């Protein structure tokens, strides 16, 4: 049974459904195109969480359900696929740090907009939801509020940056900055940007934008808490995008 309340039609993915998705539907070619379009260079570090929020996990990994598992010593994407079919994670991420000869040489800036960063008129603030054990719970109203904030933030950022990426993250939206010069920004400069955006009332996670949290959800992966595909979008698609019904965000096991 789900621990958190979710919009109608969203639910936890079972282990069998995760297996089906990563065996038959997950496509690294799409991910390669995503990274190519972003202008990233070098090897990417991936990360997985097996069952931190859903408490659904392969029994042999019961001691590691909340551990963030890094995939950084792989030879090819086939090895990553093998890892995924073994761990069957609820969440899959990538490291936004840029590496050269094992050293960090930059970071991709991103903005994470999620329902817990705003006050839902139906369910209250994050603190109020946490008191009820529903910190990550959200409703369709809150999701639409986050979507509207993402549209406005994208418009705001486009006044300064020329290469932006937009992703439906499963519970909200991510906006990525791919301008080449932004990759070399210092922590202080990223922090100033995050503070400026927060000061304008946008519901972002400051520690994501500043770089305090380096991982971000991987496009085209499965968000196992809501059974939705993390899906890149164009900004002109966002206003009409409904992740509850849109077939692009629904894995095949929900369409059968």
């Amino acid at each position: 049974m789900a621990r958190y309340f979710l919009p109608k039609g969203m639910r936890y993915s079972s282990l069998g459904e995760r297996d089906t998705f990563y065996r038959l539907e997950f496509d690294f070619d799409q991910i390669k195109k995503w990274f190519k379009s972003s202008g990233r260079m070098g090897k990417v570090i991936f990360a997985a969480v097996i069952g931190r929020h859903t408490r659904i996990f392969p029994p042999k990994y019961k001691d590691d359900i909340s551990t963030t598992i890094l995939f950084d010593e792989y030879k090819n994407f086939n090895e990553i696929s093998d890892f995924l079919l073994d761990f069957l994670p609820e969440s899959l991420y990538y490291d936004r740090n840029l590496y050269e000869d094992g050293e960090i040489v930059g970071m991709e800036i991103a903005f994470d907009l999620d329902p817990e960063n705003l006050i839902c008129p139906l369910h209250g603030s994050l603190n109020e939801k946490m008191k009820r054990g529903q910190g990550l719970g959200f409703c369709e109203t809150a999701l639409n509020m986050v979507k509207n904030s993402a549209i406005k933030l994208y418009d705001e950022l486009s006044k300064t940056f020329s290469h932006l990426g937009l992703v439906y993250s499963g519970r909200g939206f991510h906006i990525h900055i791919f301008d080449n010069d932004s990759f070399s920004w210092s922590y202080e400069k990223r922090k100033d940007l995050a503070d400026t955006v927060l000061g304008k009332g946008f519901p972002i996670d400051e520690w994501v934008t500043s770089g305090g949290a380096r991982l971000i959800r991987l496009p085209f992966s499965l968000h196992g808490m809501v059974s939705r595909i993390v899906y890149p979008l164009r900004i002109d698609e966002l206003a009409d995008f409904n992740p509850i019904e849109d077939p692009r965000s629904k894995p095949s096991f929900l369409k059968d």
Side-chain angles (χ1 to χ4, degrees), residues 5-8 115-116 118-130 132 134 137-146 244:
F5 63 84
L6 302 170
K8 185 177 180 180
E116 61 264 26
L118 48 75
I119 299 176
C120 174
L122 301 179
H123 299 99
S125 66
L126 174 60
N127 286 338
E128 291 171 327
K129 290 194 293 182
M130 288 181 67
R132 302 192 297 271
Q134 289 291 330
F138 68 103
C139 62
E140 187 173 355
T141 296
L143 185 58
N144 284 329
M145 291 172 67
V146 172
I244 297 174

mmCIF file of all heavy atoms in Angstrom, residues 5-8 115-116 118-130 132 134 137-146 244:
data_model
loop_
_atom_site.group_PDB
_atom_site.id
_atom_site.type_symbol
_atom_site.label_atom_id
_atom_site.label_comp_id
_atom_site.label_asym_id
_atom_site.label_seq_id
_atom_site.Cartn_x
_atom_site.Cartn_y
_atom_site.Cartn_z
ATOM 1 N N PHE A 5 0.031 9.997 -0.322
ATOM 2 C CA PHE A 5 -1.086 10.232 -1.228
ATOM 3 C C PHE A 5 -0.540 10.797 -2.539
ATOM 4 O O PHE A 5 0.395 11.586 -2.561
ATOM 5 C CB PHE A 5 -2.126 11.166 -0.605
ATOM 6 C CG PHE A 5 -1.645 12.564 -0.296
ATOM 7 C CD1 PHE A 5 -1.632 13.544 -1.283
ATOM 8 C CD2 PHE A 5 -1.238 12.913 0.982
ATOM 9 C CE1 PHE A 5 -1.211 14.835 -1.009
ATOM 10 C CE2 PHE A 5 -0.803 14.207 1.265
ATOM 11 C CZ PHE A 5 -0.794 15.166 0.269
ATOM 12 N N LEU A 6 -1.129 10.358 -3.643
ATOM 13 C CA LEU A 6 -0.677 10.727 -4.980
ATOM 14 C C LEU A 6 -1.888 11.061 -5.844
ATOM 15 O O LEU A 6 -3.005 10.649 -5.539
ATOM 16 C CB LEU A 6 0.096 9.565 -5.624
ATOM 17 C CG LEU A 6 1.333 9.051 -4.886
ATOM 18 C CD1 LEU A 6 1.828 7.754 -5.533
ATOM 19 C CD2 LEU A 6 2.430 10.097 -4.874
ATOM 20 N N PRO A 7 -1.678 11.797 -6.941
ATOM 21 C CA PRO A 7 -2.795 12.064 -7.852
ATOM 22 C C PRO A 7 -3.401 10.765 -8.374
ATOM 23 O O PRO A 7 -2.709 9.753 -8.524
ATOM 24 C CB PRO A 7 -2.136 12.861 -8.988
ATOM 25 C CG PRO A 7 -0.951 13.512 -8.357
ATOM 26 C CD PRO A 7 -0.447 12.508 -7.364
ATOM 27 N N LYS A 8 -4.684 10.800 -8.660
ATOM 28 C CA LYS A 8 -5.374 9.626 -9.172
ATOM 29 C C LYS A 8 -4.688 9.123 -10.440
ATOM 30 O O LYS A 8 -4.392 9.892 -11.345
ATOM 31 C CB LYS A 8 -6.835 9.970 -9.483
ATOM 32 C CG LYS A 8 -7.663 8.772 -9.912
ATOM 33 C CD LYS A 8 -9.117 9.158 -10.146
ATOM 34 C CE LYS A 8 -9.944 7.955 -10.571
ATOM 35 N NZ LYS A 8 -11.372 8.324 -10.806
ATOM 36 N N PRO A 115 6.441 19.677 -5.656
ATOM 37 C CA PRO A 115 5.291 20.133 -4.871
ATOM 38 C C PRO A 115 5.615 20.529 -3.432
ATOM 39 O O PRO A 115 4.950 21.404 -2.868
ATOM 40 C CB PRO A 115 4.348 18.928 -4.904
ATOM 41 C CG PRO A 115 4.692 18.218 -6.163
ATOM 42 C CD PRO A 115 6.183 18.376 -6.297
ATOM 43 N N GLU A 116 6.628 19.888 -2.824
ATOM 44 C CA GLU A 116 6.917 20.211 -1.424
ATOM 45 C C GLU A 116 7.514 21.599 -1.246
ATOM 46 O O GLU A 116 7.648 22.085 -0.115
ATOM 47 C CB GLU A 116 7.843 19.168 -0.795
ATOM 48 C CG GLU A 116 9.197 19.041 -1.439
ATOM 49 C CD GLU A 116 9.237 17.923 -2.453
ATOM 50 O OE1 GLU A 116 8.172 17.576 -3.008
ATOM 51 O OE2 GLU A 116 10.328 17.394 -2.694
ATOM 52 N N LEU A 118 6.174 24.343 -2.358
ATOM 53 C CA LEU A 118 5.127 25.359 -2.336
ATOM 54 C C LEU A 118 4.041 24.957 -1.341
ATOM 55 O O LEU A 118 4.047 23.847 -0.805
ATOM 56 C CB LEU A 118 4.548 25.582 -3.737
ATOM 57 C CG LEU A 118 4.133 24.374 -4.584
ATOM 58 C CD1 LEU A 118 2.836 23.762 -4.099
ATOM 59 C CD2 LEU A 118 3.993 24.785 -6.047
ATOM 60 N N ILE A 119 3.130 25.853 -1.091
ATOM 61 C CA ILE A 119 2.029 25.581 -0.166
ATOM 62 C C ILE A 119 0.802 25.180 -0.971
ATOM 63 O O ILE A 119 0.260 25.968 -1.744
ATOM 64 C CB ILE A 119 1.715 26.814 0.709
ATOM 65 C CG1 ILE A 119 2.937 27.179 1.553
ATOM 66 C CG2 ILE A 119 0.516 26.535 1.610
ATOM 67 C CD1 ILE A 119 2.757 28.441 2.381
ATOM 68 N N CYS A 120 0.394 23.945 -0.798
ATOM 69 C CA CYS A 120 -0.779 23.438 -1.502
ATOM 70 C C CYS A 120 -2.045 23.957 -0.810
ATOM 71 O O CYS A 120 -2.161 23.843 0.422
ATOM 72 C CB CYS A 120 -0.770 21.912 -1.495
ATOM 73 S SG CYS A 120 -2.265 21.164 -2.182
ATOM 74 N N PRO A 121 -2.993 24.526 -1.549
ATOM 75 C CA PRO A 121 -4.220 25.030 -0.919
ATOM 76 C C PRO A 121 -5.084 23.931 -0.306
ATOM 77 O O PRO A 121 -5.934 24.214 0.541
ATOM 78 C CB PRO A 121 -4.949 25.727 -2.078
ATOM 79 C CG PRO A 121 -4.410 25.089 -3.315
ATOM 80 C CD PRO A 121 -2.980 24.760 -3.004
ATOM 81 N N LEU A 122 -4.838 22.685 -0.715
ATOM 82 C CA LEU A 122 -5.626 21.566 -0.188
ATOM 83 C C LEU A 122 -4.932 20.829 0.948
ATOM 84 O O LEU A 122 -5.592 20.347 1.875
ATOM 85 C CB LEU A 122 -5.936 20.571 -1.317
ATOM 86 C CG LEU A 122 -6.715 21.112 -2.515
ATOM 87 C CD1 LEU A 122 -6.918 20.013 -3.549
ATOM 88 C CD2 LEU A 122 -8.054 21.683 -2.070
ATOM 89 N N HIS A 123 -3.581 20.740 0.888
ATOM 90 C CA HIS A 123 -2.859 19.911 1.852
ATOM 91 C C HIS A 123 -1.821 20.663 2.671
ATOM 92 O O HIS A 123 -1.155 20.069 3.517
ATOM 93 C CB HIS A 123 -2.192 18.738 1.121
ATOM 94 C CG HIS A 123 -3.173 17.847 0.427
ATOM 95 N ND1 HIS A 123 -3.446 17.930 -0.920
ATOM 96 C CD2 HIS A 123 -3.975 16.857 0.903
ATOM 97 C CE1 HIS A 123 -4.356 17.037 -1.253
ATOM 98 N NE2 HIS A 123 -4.700 16.371 -0.171
ATOM 99 N N GLY A 124 -1.664 21.947 2.405
ATOM 100 C CA GLY A 124 -0.808 22.763 3.251
ATOM 101 C C GLY A 124 0.655 22.776 2.855
ATOM 102 O O GLY A 124 1.044 22.349 1.769
ATOM 103 N N SER A 125 1.481 23.251 3.781
ATOM 104 C CA SER A 125 2.918 23.393 3.558
ATOM 105 C C SER A 125 3.631 22.065 3.773
ATOM 106 O O SER A 125 3.046 21.086 4.246
ATOM 107 C CB SER A 125 3.491 24.430 4.524
ATOM 108 O OG SER A 125 3.398 23.946 5.865
ATOM 109 N N LEU A 126 4.920 22.051 3.453
ATOM 110 C CA LEU A 126 5.724 20.847 3.673
ATOM 111 C C LEU A 126 5.720 20.468 5.149
ATOM 112 O O LEU A 126 5.558 19.290 5.497
ATOM 113 C CB LEU A 126 7.157 21.079 3.191
ATOM 114 C CG LEU A 126 8.151 19.949 3.478
ATOM 115 C CD1 LEU A 126 7.713 18.650 2.821
ATOM 116 C CD2 LEU A 126 9.552 20.339 3.015
ATOM 117 N N ASN A 127 5.891 21.437 6.032
ATOM 118 C CA ASN A 127 5.899 21.136 7.468
ATOM 119 C C ASN A 127 4.582 20.526 7.915
ATOM 120 O O ASN A 127 4.556 19.574 8.713
ATOM 121 C CB ASN A 127 6.190 22.405 8.273
ATOM 122 C CG ASN A 127 7.646 22.821 8.198
ATOM 123 O OD1 ASN A 127 8.515 21.999 7.910
ATOM 124 N ND2 ASN A 127 7.918 24.089 8.455
ATOM 125 N N GLU A 128 3.487 21.050 7.394
ATOM 126 C CA GLU A 128 2.173 20.512 7.762
ATOM 127 C C GLU A 128 2.004 19.090 7.248
ATOM 128 O O GLU A 128 1.465 18.219 7.948
ATOM 129 C CB GLU A 128 1.074 21.424 7.210
ATOM 130 C CG GLU A 128 1.011 22.778 7.913
ATOM 131 C CD GLU A 128 0.087 23.756 7.223
ATOM 132 O OE1 GLU A 128 -0.024 23.705 5.974
ATOM 133 O OE2 GLU A 128 -0.517 24.594 7.924
ATOM 134 N N LYS A 129 2.474 18.837 6.039
ATOM 135 C CA LYS A 129 2.365 17.478 5.493
ATOM 136 C C LYS A 129 3.281 16.512 6.238
ATOM 137 O O LYS A 129 2.916 15.351 6.466
ATOM 138 C CB LYS A 129 2.695 17.491 3.997
ATOM 139 C CG LYS A 129 1.632 18.169 3.142
ATOM 140 C CD LYS A 129 1.812 17.886 1.661
ATOM 141 C CE LYS A 129 3.067 18.507 1.115
ATOM 142 N NZ LYS A 129 3.208 18.272 -0.345
ATOM 143 N N MET A 130 4.464 16.982 6.626
ATOM 144 C CA MET A 130 5.393 16.112 7.356
ATOM 145 C C MET A 130 4.819 15.695 8.701
ATOM 146 O O MET A 130 5.044 14.571 9.163
ATOM 147 C CB MET A 130 6.736 16.820 7.533
ATOM 148 C CG MET A 130 7.537 16.944 6.244
ATOM 149 S SD MET A 130 9.138 17.756 6.462
ATOM 150 C CE MET A 130 9.998 16.537 7.462
ATOM 151 N N ARG A 132 1.922 14.949 9.232
ATOM 152 C CA ARG A 132 0.979 13.866 8.943
ATOM 153 C C ARG A 132 1.671 12.681 8.275
ATOM 154 O O ARG A 132 1.003 11.751 7.807
ATOM 155 C CB ARG A 132 -0.149 14.386 8.037
ATOM 156 C CG ARG A 132 -0.933 15.557 8.613
ATOM 157 C CD ARG A 132 -2.202 15.827 7.805
ATOM 158 N NE ARG A 132 -1.923 16.217 6.438
ATOM 159 C CZ ARG A 132 -1.737 17.475 6.025
ATOM 160 N NH1 ARG A 132 -1.784 18.467 6.918
ATOM 161 N NH2 ARG A 132 -1.505 17.753 4.761
ATOM 162 N N GLN A 134 3.337 12.842 5.478
ATOM 163 C CA GLN A 134 3.067 12.936 4.044
ATOM 164 C C GLN A 134 3.985 13.955 3.366
ATOM 165 O O GLN A 134 3.564 14.679 2.459
ATOM 166 C CB GLN A 134 1.604 13.327 3.817
ATOM 167 C CG GLN A 134 0.610 12.241 4.150
ATOM 168 C CD GLN A 134 0.696 11.077 3.172
ATOM 169 O OE1 GLN A 134 1.034 11.245 2.012
ATOM 170 N NE2 GLN A 134 0.397 9.878 3.652
ATOM 171 N N GLY A 137 4.004 13.434 -0.260
ATOM 172 C CA GLY A 137 2.695 13.306 -0.879
ATOM 173 C C GLY A 137 2.328 14.580 -1.635
ATOM 174 O O GLY A 137 2.745 15.677 -1.266
ATOM 175 N N PHE A 138 1.555 14.431 -2.694
ATOM 176 C CA PHE A 138 1.128 15.605 -3.454
ATOM 177 C C PHE A 138 -0.141 15.276 -4.220
ATOM 178 O O PHE A 138 -0.503 14.108 -4.400
ATOM 179 C CB PHE A 138 2.226 16.082 -4.413
ATOM 180 C CG PHE A 138 2.521 15.146 -5.556
ATOM 181 C CD1 PHE A 138 2.046 15.406 -6.835
ATOM 182 C CD2 PHE A 138 3.279 13.998 -5.364
ATOM 183 C CE1 PHE A 138 2.323 14.552 -7.895
ATOM 184 C CE2 PHE A 138 3.570 13.139 -6.416
ATOM 185 C CZ PHE A 138 3.086 13.416 -7.684
ATOM 186 N N CYS A 139 -0.818 16.315 -4.665
ATOM 187 C CA CYS A 139 -2.073 16.141 -5.389
ATOM 188 C C CYS A 139 -1.965 16.803 -6.759
ATOM 189 O O CYS A 139 -0.979 17.478 -7.074
ATOM 190 C CB CYS A 139 -3.237 16.743 -4.605
ATOM 191 S SG CYS A 139 -3.097 18.530 -4.351
ATOM 192 N N GLU A 140 -2.987 16.635 -7.569
ATOM 193 C CA GLU A 140 -2.978 17.200 -8.916
ATOM 194 C C GLU A 140 -2.942 18.724 -8.878
ATOM 195 O O GLU A 140 -2.312 19.360 -9.726
ATOM 196 C CB GLU A 140 -4.204 16.715 -9.691
ATOM 197 C CG GLU A 140 -4.189 17.118 -11.158
ATOM 198 C CD GLU A 140 -5.321 16.479 -11.947
ATOM 199 O OE1 GLU A 140 -6.056 15.654 -11.373
ATOM 200 O OE2 GLU A 140 -5.462 16.810 -13.144
ATOM 201 N N THR A 141 -3.591 19.312 -7.881
ATOM 202 C CA THR A 141 -3.572 20.770 -7.759
ATOM 203 C C THR A 141 -2.152 21.283 -7.566
ATOM 204 O O THR A 141 -1.718 22.228 -8.236
ATOM 205 C CB THR A 141 -4.451 21.217 -6.575
ATOM 206 O OG1 THR A 141 -5.813 20.869 -6.838
ATOM 207 C CG2 THR A 141 -4.355 22.723 -6.360
ATOM 208 N N ALA A 142 -1.407 20.652 -6.657
ATOM 209 C CA ALA A 142 -0.023 21.071 -6.411
ATOM 210 C C ALA A 142 0.845 20.841 -7.641
ATOM 211 O O ALA A 142 1.719 21.657 -7.961
ATOM 212 C CB ALA A 142 0.540 20.314 -5.212
ATOM 213 N N LEU A 143 0.606 19.738 -8.351
ATOM 214 C CA LEU A 143 1.387 19.449 -9.554
ATOM 215 C C LEU A 143 1.152 20.520 -10.619
ATOM 216 O O LEU A 143 2.094 20.962 -11.290
ATOM 217 C CB LEU A 143 1.007 18.072 -10.093
ATOM 218 C CG LEU A 143 1.816 17.547 -11.286
ATOM 219 C CD1 LEU A 143 3.303 17.478 -10.961
ATOM 220 C CD2 LEU A 143 1.309 16.170 -11.704
ATOM 221 N N ASN A 144 -0.080 20.966 -10.759
ATOM 222 C CA ASN A 144 -0.375 22.028 -11.724
ATOM 223 C C ASN A 144 0.252 23.352 -11.301
ATOM 224 O O ASN A 144 0.696 24.136 -12.153
ATOM 225 C CB ASN A 144 -1.885 22.184 -11.885
ATOM 226 C CG ASN A 144 -2.497 21.088 -12.739
ATOM 227 O OD1 ASN A 144 -1.855 20.565 -13.645
ATOM 228 N ND2 ASN A 144 -3.733 20.729 -12.448
ATOM 229 N N MET A 145 0.305 23.603 -10.003
ATOM 230 C CA MET A 145 0.959 24.813 -9.519
ATOM 231 C C MET A 145 2.448 24.793 -9.850
ATOM 232 O O MET A 145 3.024 25.804 -10.263
ATOM 233 C CB MET A 145 0.751 24.950 -8.005
ATOM 234 C CG MET A 145 -0.683 25.246 -7.596
ATOM 235 S SD MET A 145 -0.925 25.179 -5.793
ATOM 236 C CE MET A 145 0.061 26.593 -5.257
ATOM 237 N N VAL A 146 3.061 23.626 -9.683
ATOM 238 C CA VAL A 146 4.482 23.493 -10.015
ATOM 239 C C VAL A 146 4.692 23.681 -11.516
ATOM 240 O O VAL A 146 5.652 24.333 -11.947
ATOM 241 C CB VAL A 146 5.015 22.116 -9.558
ATOM 242 C CG1 VAL A 146 6.429 21.898 -10.064
ATOM 243 C CG2 VAL A 146 4.989 22.013 -8.040
ATOM 244 N N ILE A 244 -0.498 12.932 -15.818
ATOM 245 C CA ILE A 244 -1.401 11.889 -15.344
ATOM 246 C C ILE A 244 -1.964 11.100 -16.523
ATOM 247 O O ILE A 244 -2.178 9.888 -16.437
ATOM 248 C CB ILE A 244 -2.537 12.506 -14.505
ATOM 249 C CG1 ILE A 244 -1.950 13.185 -13.262
ATOM 250 C CG2 ILE A 244 -3.564 11.450 -14.106
ATOM 251 C CD1 ILE A 244 -2.967 13.954 -12.445
#
